[in-house]
Structures are given as structure tokens and as C-alpha cells.
Amino acid sequence: MAAKLGILAGGGPLPGYLVEACRANGREVFVIAFEGQADPDVIGDTPHAWVRLGAAGEALDRLRNAGVSEIVMAGPVRRPTLRELRPDRRAAKFLGLGLLNKGDDGLLGAIVHALEEEEGFRVVGASDVLNDLAAPAGPFGQFRPDAEVEADIAHGVRVLQATGPLDIGQAVVVQQGIVLGLEAAEGTYALLERCGPLRREGRGGVMVKLHKPGQETRADMPSIGPDTVAAACASGLAGIAVGAGATLVLDRDRLTATADAEGLFVTGIRPDDYVEGYDQA
Amino acid sequence: MAAKLGILAGGGPLPGYLVEACRANGREVFVIAFEGQADPDVIGDTPHAWVRLGAAGEALDRLRNAGVSEIVMAGPVRRPTLRELRPDRRAAKFLGLGLLNKGDDGLLGAIVHALEEEEGFRVVGASDVLNDLAAPAGPFGQFRPDAEVEADIAHGVRVLQATGPLDIGQAVVVQQGIVLGLEAAEGTYALLERCGPLRREGRGGVMVKLHKPGQETRADMPSIGPDTVAAACASGLAGIAVGAGATLVLDRDRLTATADAEGLFVTGIRPDDYVEGYDQA
């Protein structure tokens, strides 16, 4: 029996999938639900505590009291400013205040490091807990990108390669060589929504969502689920390309059924096949 | 008396400012108003012809018949796909179809080149026609960025330097080190609007709007006007930074009055002061 799992829960459905997977395996869990981030409906009646994002001391005490030794971070955290965060002494020491300006990756990498080296927990990635959830290479369903869309995917990979080191976002929407939208603080759903009216007449339109070059994927692995496909469909896109092996695919059966029913492709790509040295960028 | 000026009019108020400036100097004008792009209220009763964006042959004939020898391109053009464009034979030859996938800059550069080298017109920039309209260096009004905002401006310049060569957009909104939004196909107003709800608690927030490194500014110089300041104010930003000498400032008196009344700064910056070699990127 695997050790009790501590789930640091941000937004979206991912924490719920982790709880489900643990239950199916008889593994115990304890959830730290971050206030203003985690979804109460997703947390449900799982053993949990609501904690302010800046209250690291309280979160760590709760995890230790619950007997947790292994931790997973799950779901997007709307990044707070320093004032919103109001870090307690533990959080402040823990993060080093200067890190706050390094962007998500610097911050998350520092948290993972501190949890392991200073606090003695083991940090695992969501894909280590959820079996068969990393995106495979190639099309998931019956549709696949045509040559024109492949060119748009390549452009999307180039955009994400250039913007990755700046820590802006994980997703871009491209149609016929035109960047319709680039994700920043608004998140993937809002990106898809606002790109609907920006679509040009004619074919195509693809969302490319990738980990940033060199990203700490244990802390913030990109994910898609059936709702992502529905949003892409509502915006008139032809499909979605994600990083093979580096993207969490939630509820793949339903996701694939949705894509097939709507005529969208969803495909796992290797960024290096499109742009040389993506992960060395 | 300067030669009759041909204005290729895209959206926004800029074509109107050009017409006004010519009238004030007694200079004759003829406007090619692009269908679905130019604003009929801005064109008004100025001598003009409505022309499809892809109908280059008709536009050139109209300009010659009107006795135009000098041309200015003014106002953003919502970039069409090839299908929407339906280029006539002249437009197709003129552009070289392959250029359509090179993005705005490649396309606009090719248009300027073809108008001058093949069609025998002289192409001037809007700032050559409008006196005193290029942004000066330093604050326009009574407010100026503080040290924290200066750091956000620097981050914005870095983002635009990295994304410039990809031809995505001219503007970015940064607050406390976080990129709230990056302009792509939606345009500056829509960017400002959507960044309002993404603002974090606390101070600051700045829009940085710059020409792309190496951009053909005769065709698509960045511009701001009083409405830009009002939109930035509505989104709760502290101010706007634009490229000194490389941004059109429309109606600067009203713009400055609006900024002063609302407590916003508007300042002209030299990108090289923030990021080395911006224009060589």
C-alpha cells in the first residue's frame, strides 16, 4: 500500500481525478484546499483543510498531522501578488521573497525544492499517481490534422518556444498562420472563448498547449479534459495539439468521444519534431 | 504646396487625423477606404472610394485617376485570410501569395516595396504628415511611473522583444511582474478590456506598446489616443508606456488632460534603455 498522499489543490477538476484514483487503489489522501483557488464541489467530502495560499506553516502542520509523507500539486493556482499572498513567516522564508518576481516556474520550482530538501516530503507529479494519463503521441480519436493545420501547429510551437522562457502561458491559438490569441493570466478556457470571435472565415484553427521549455512539470503539468475539447469546438477550432508524454489527459474516453462526435482532432505531438531543440530553449 | 495625398484607410481614428492635418495645410487628399476595415464616420465627406482589400488593381487605378503620387497607410487592418482576401490578379502578383504566411510585417513591407518600386508611388509614414505626433521621451503629463512600475515596463519590453520577431502583437500588460495579457489578433482595446478583471489586488499595472524590433513603421506605426487612456483607466492600470519617436500620439492635448484627470501616467520610453539591443533583436 502506497503512503498516504497529500494533495495541494488548486483549481479545476484535477484534484478530483487524483482523489478518485487513490480511492480506486485503496490509498488514503488528505487535501490542502487553497482558498479562492480549489473548487469546493471537486473537494467534496474527501478529508481536507481549507488553507490560505500564504499560510505555508499551517498547510505543512496539517499535512504532518494527517500523516502525509508524499505530496502532489494539482490544478492551476491563480497567481497572487505579494499583497494578496500575505505570506506567513514560514512561507516568506520558504519562498525567499525575491522569487516572487521570477514568475510561475521559478516560484513552483522553489516550492518543490523546499518541500523536499527542507521539509522532508517527497513530491511526485500528478502523472505518477494517475496511470495512463500522460498524452500518447499521435491522434487520440478518428480525426487528424491536415497539412495546413500541421503548419499552424509548427507556428504555435515556435511561439511557445519563444515565450516559454518569459513564463507567460502554456497555450496559443493559430489559424492559417495568424496568432489569434496567446494565453497569459486569463487561462486556457478564457483564451479559447475569446478566440471564437477572432477566427477568420475558412478552415482550421488549432490550440497548441505545451509545457514550457525546461518547465518543472511536477508542479504544473499542462492538462486537457473533455471540457477543453468542448470549448475548442464552441470557438470553431479544428482541433488541439498537446505535448506527448508531458500533458495530463483527463477522462480520455469522454474526451475522445466528444472530439469524435464534434469532428475535432486531438493529437499528441513531440515539439522537437516541429522546432529543433524545443526543450533546450 | 505638397502633392495630393492618397490615404489607404484601415480602422480607427487615424485616417481622420490625417485628413484634418491636410485640410489645415490646404493639401488635397483622396481616401481609399477598405471595406469592413475603415470607419464610415471617420471617412465622412472626404473624397474617397470604398474598395475591397483584395482589389489592388481597382485601388491603384482610383489613386492614379485622382492624381495621387504620395501615399500613406493609416489605421489597423484586421488581417484577412486568403479566402477572405480574394486577391485580384494585381494583388496576387503584387503580394506574392507566399508572403501571406509571413505575418503582418512581411506583408506590409512587401506592399510598401511594391507601391514604390513597381507602381511608382512615394510611401510616407503617418508621422511625416502629422506634425508633432511622434511620442516624445519622458512623461506627457503630471504623473510618472514609480520604481515598481519601471520594473514592470522592463518586463514588458523583454516580452515584446521576444515576441516581436513572431509578429504577434504590439502591446502587453504587466502588473507586479505578472503578464496579465499579451496582444494578438484582438487588438489593443480588447486587450485592455480583458485585462481589467485579471488585475491583482494592489498597485500598478502598465500597458507597454512598442513597434516590433525592425518593424516597417511607415505601414503600421503603433498609436495611442485619448480613448486608449480611457480604456487603460477603466481597467485599473497605473499608466501606459510607448516607444518615444516610434509611436503616433493622437490628440495629445486631450490625451494628456484625460491622463492627468484620471491620475494615469503616459510616458515615452526608449526600449534600449530597458533591454539591450531591442531594435537588433
Side-chain angles (χ1 to χ4, degrees):
Chain A
M1 170 79 57
K4 192 169 185 173
L5 182 69
I7 302 176
L8 303 185
L14 182 57
Y17 284 97
L18 289 163
V19 169
E20 242 173 68
C22 289
R23 270 193 192 138
N25 296 323
R27 184 176 186 181
E28 283 189 288
V29 299
F30 185 80
V31 177
I32 298 292
F34 288 116
E35 289 173 9
Q37 310 275 355
D39 179 347
D41 291 340
V42 168
I43 308 304
D45 58 357
T46 311
H48 69 277
W50 286 94
V51 175
R52 223 169 36 77
L53 201 57
E58 187 187 346
L60 293 166
D61 291 345
R62 293 258 191 188
L63 288 166
R64 288 216 178 79
N65 292 342
V68 161
S69 62
E70 199 165 274
I71 287 177
V72 64
M73 298 164 81
V77 169
R78 182 183 165 283
R79 206 174 150 220
T81 62
L82 194 50
R83 180 178 301 205
E84 285 178 316
L85 188 60
R86 285 179 292 130
D88 63 14
R89 289 184 55 178
R90 195 87 150 269
K93 180 193 156 205
F94 191 51
L95 302 177
L97 293 181
L99 282 168
L100 282 168
N101 278 327
K102 285 203 185 161
D104 289 346
D105 291 345
L107 184 63
L108 292 171
I111 292 173
V112 168
H113 181 85
L115 285 170
E116 296 208 312
E117 303 303 318
E118 297 180 26
E119 303 290 340
F121 293 100
R122 195 168 103 84
V123 179
V124 297
S127 59
D128 300 324
V129 178
L130 300 161
N131 299 322
D132 300 324
L133 267 199
F140 295 12
Q142 65 185 93
F143 298 97
R144 54 182 62 223
D146 60 20
E148 195 180 336
V149 171
E150 285 286 352
D152 283 342
I153 293 174
H155 193 55
V157 174
R158 277 192 295 272
V159 169
L160 294 175
Q161 182 183 40
T163 55
L166 293 159
D167 208 4
I168 302 174
Q170 296 175 325
V172 62
V173 176
V174 183
Q175 183 198 15
Q176 299 180 35
I178 301 170
V179 176
L180 297 186
L182 184 53
E183 182 190 18
E186 78 277 26
T188 303
Y189 289 102
L191 169 71
L192 286 169
E193 207 170 76
R194 73 187 171 83
C195 283
L198 299 172
R199 260 193 95 246
R200 285 10 187 197
E201 223 182 81
R203 303 174 56 223
V206 59
M207 178 175 78
V208 184
K209 187 170 185 180
L210 297 174
H211 63 288
K212 297 166 198 160
Q215 182 182 329
E216 167 60 78
T217 52
R218 276 181 299 177
D220 183 29
M221 190 179 256
S223 67
I224 58 165
D227 294 349
T228 319
V229 174
C233 177
S235 290
L237 301 188
I240 297 173
V242 296
T247 308
L248 287 176
V249 183
L250 306 175
D251 204 345
R252 198 201 306 178
D253 289 346
R254 196 153 67 83
L255 179 151
T256 305
T258 304
D260 282 349
E262 302 288 357
L264 270 73
F265 71 83
V266 179
T267 191
I269 63 165
R270 294 188 188 88
D272 279 332
D273 291 346
Y274 292 85
V275 175
E276 218 180 312
Y278 180 83
D279 267 308
Q280 280 75 54
Chain B
M1 169 80 57
K4 192 169 186 173
L5 182 70
I7 302 175
L8 303 184
L14 182 57
Y17 284 96
L18 288 163
V19 169
E20 241 173 71
C22 289
R23 271 196 193 138
N25 296 323
R27 183 175 186 183
E28 284 190 288
V29 300
F30 186 80
V31 177
I32 298 293
F34 288 116
E35 290 173 9
Q37 310 274 357
D39 179 347
D41 291 340
V42 169
I43 307 305
D45 59 358
T46 312
H48 70 275
W50 286 93
V51 173
R52 224 168 34 77
L53 201 57
E58 187 188 345
L60 293 166
D61 290 346
R62 294 257 192 189
L63 288 167
R64 287 215 180 80
N65 291 342
V68 160
S69 62
E70 199 165 274
I71 288 177
V72 63
M73 298 164 82
V77 169
R78 184 184 164 282
R79 206 174 151 220
T81 61
L82 194 49
R83 179 177 302 204
E84 286 177 315
L85 188 59
R86 285 179 293 130
D88 63 15
R89 288 184 57 176
R90 196 88 149 268
K93 179 194 157 205
F94 190 49
L95 302 178
L97 293 181
L99 282 170
L100 283 168
N101 279 327
K102 286 205 184 160
D104 290 346
D105 290 346
L107 184 63
L108 292 172
I111 292 173
V112 168
H113 181 84
L115 284 171
E116 295 209 311
E117 302 304 317
E118 297 180 27
E119 304 289 340
F121 292 99
R122 196 168 104 83
V123 179
V124 297
S127 59
D128 300 324
V129 178
L130 300 161
N131 300 322
D132 300 323
L133 268 200
F140 295 13
Q142 66 186 95
F143 298 98
R144 53 183 63 223
D146 60 20
E148 195 181 336
V149 171
E150 285 286 353
D152 285 341
I153 293 175
H155 192 56
V157 174
R158 279 193 294 272
V159 169
L160 294 175
Q161 183 183 40
T163 54
L166 294 159
D167 207 5
I168 301 173
Q170 296 176 324
V172 62
V173 176
V174 184
Q175 183 197 17
Q176 297 180 35
I178 301 170
V179 176
L180 298 185
L182 184 53
E183 183 191 18
E186 78 277 27
T188 303
Y189 289 103
L191 169 72
L192 285 169
E193 205 170 79
R194 72 186 172 82
C195 283
L198 300 172
R199 258 193 96 248
R200 285 10 187 196
E201 222 182 82
R203 304 175 55 222
V206 58
M207 177 174 82
V208 184
K209 186 169 186 181
L210 296 174
H211 64 288
K212 297 166 197 159
Q215 181 183 328
E216 168 59 78
T217 51
R218 275 182 300 178
D220 183 28
M221 191 179 255
S223 67
I224 59 166
D227 295 349
T228 319
V229 174
C233 176
S235 291
L237 300 188
I240 297 174
V242 297
T247 308
L248 287 177
V249 182
L250 305 175
D251 204 345
R252 200 203 303 178
D253 289 346
R254 196 154 66 83
L255 180 150
T256 304
T258 304
D260 282 348
E262 301 288 358
L264 270 73
F265 71 83
V266 178
T267 191
I269 63 165
R270 293 189 189 86
D272 279 332
D273 290 346
Y274 293 85
V275 175
E276 217 180 314
Y278 180 84
D279 267 308
Q280 280 75 55

